[in-house]
């Protein structure tokens, strides 16, 4: 639960201009996730990497954010957390869209939809298809799953 609360707060932030009380709460929760990741990496490392990705994004450290998103995606996949893999792909897509990298964002969106579908979150897939219509494969395009483990350039 701590992870979801922290991730939700971080994903909504654009700048680091937070009140000090919020910064302290986020720091405490981040340390808690880090400790859990150290004690049980199979269950928490991917979550910690995703928190680090969002933190790097907020601080404007784009290369680090990009790297952490990919690490979180790979760690989630490796440990069987399809739901977190889906969320990590979705957040990575939002990050890439904000940077104007539509081709890269499209790959992440497709992977997120694939993971959400695999997880059984069909309503989420439909919501993403509506929200990101311009990035969804058009009829005649190959499949809807594109792997994002390789670095893509626009």
């Amino acid at each position: 639960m701590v992870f979801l609360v922290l991730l939700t707060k971080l994903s909504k932030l654009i700048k680091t201009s937070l009140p000090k009380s919020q910064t302290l709460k986020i720091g405490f929760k981040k340390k808690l996730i880090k400790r859990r990741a150290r004690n049980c990496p199979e269950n928490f490392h991917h979550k910690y990497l995703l928190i680090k990705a969002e933190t790097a994004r907020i601080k404007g450290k784009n290369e680090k954010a990009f790297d952490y998103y990919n690490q979180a995606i790979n760690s989630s996949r490796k440990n069987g957390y399809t739901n977190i893999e889906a969320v990590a792909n979705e957040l990575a897509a939002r990050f890439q869209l904000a940077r104007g990298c539509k081709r890269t964002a499209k790959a992440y969106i497709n992977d997120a939809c694939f993971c959400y579908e695999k997880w059984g979150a069909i309503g989420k897939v439909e919501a993403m298809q509506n929200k990101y219509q311009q990035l969804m494969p058009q009829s005649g395009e190959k499949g809807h799953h594109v792997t994002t483990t390789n670095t893509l350039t626009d």
Side-chain angles (χ1 to χ4, degrees), residues 139-154:
S139 60
E141 281 188 281
K142 292 184 180 180
H144 86 251
H145 177 64
V146 180
T147 303
T148 58
T149 54
N150 295 327
T151 303
L152 301 174
T153 56
D154 286 324

Side-chain angles (χ1 to χ4, degrees), residues 3-4 7 46-47 50 54 69-70 72-78 80-94 105 107-122 124-125 128 132 145 148:
F3 166 71
L4 295 175
L7 186 60
H46 54 280
K47 294 173 182 173
L50 192 50
E54 284 293 286
Y69 283 122
N70 285 317
I73 290 164
N74 291 331
S75 180
S76 298
R77 183 181 304 131
K78 176 184 171 189
Y81 285 92
T82 306
N83 57 333
I84 305 299
E85 182 182 353
V87 171
N89 273 295
E90 184 178 0
L91 292 174
R94 281 181 25 189
Y108 285 113
I109 288 292
N110 289 333
D111 279 1
C113 286
F114 177 80
C115 291
Y116 281 128
E117 187 175 343
K118 182 177 172 184
W119 188 44
I122 304 306
K124 180 64 176 178
V125 173
M128 288 188 64
Y132 300 107
H145 177 64
T148 58

Side-chain angles (χ1 to χ4, degrees), residues 14-80:
I14 298 171
K15 299 177 185 175
T16 57
S17 58
L18 284 173
K20 189 170 183 164
S21 63
Q22 285 292 329
T23 304
L24 292 173
K25 285 180 186 178
I26 288 172
F28 172 77
K29 289 176 182 174
K30 188 175 173 184
K31 285 180 185 178
L32 181 63
I33 299 292
K34 182 179 182 178
R35 188 172 346 123
R36 289 179 180 173
R38 232 180 301 132
N39 293 333
C40 190
E42 302 82 14
N43 292 334
F44 292 98
H45 186 65
H46 54 280
K47 294 173 182 173
Y48 181 62
L49 289 168
L50 192 50
I51 297 298
K52 287 179 77 165
E54 284 293 286
T55 303
R57 176 191 60 82
I58 292 164
K59 292 179 176 180
K61 297 180 179 181
N62 293 339
E63 287 184 32
K64 283 190 176 210
F66 183 74
D67 187 44
Y68 287 136
Y69 283 122
N70 285 317
Q71 287 182 47
I73 290 164
N74 291 331
S75 180
S76 298
R77 183 181 304 131
K78 176 184 171 189
N79 291 297

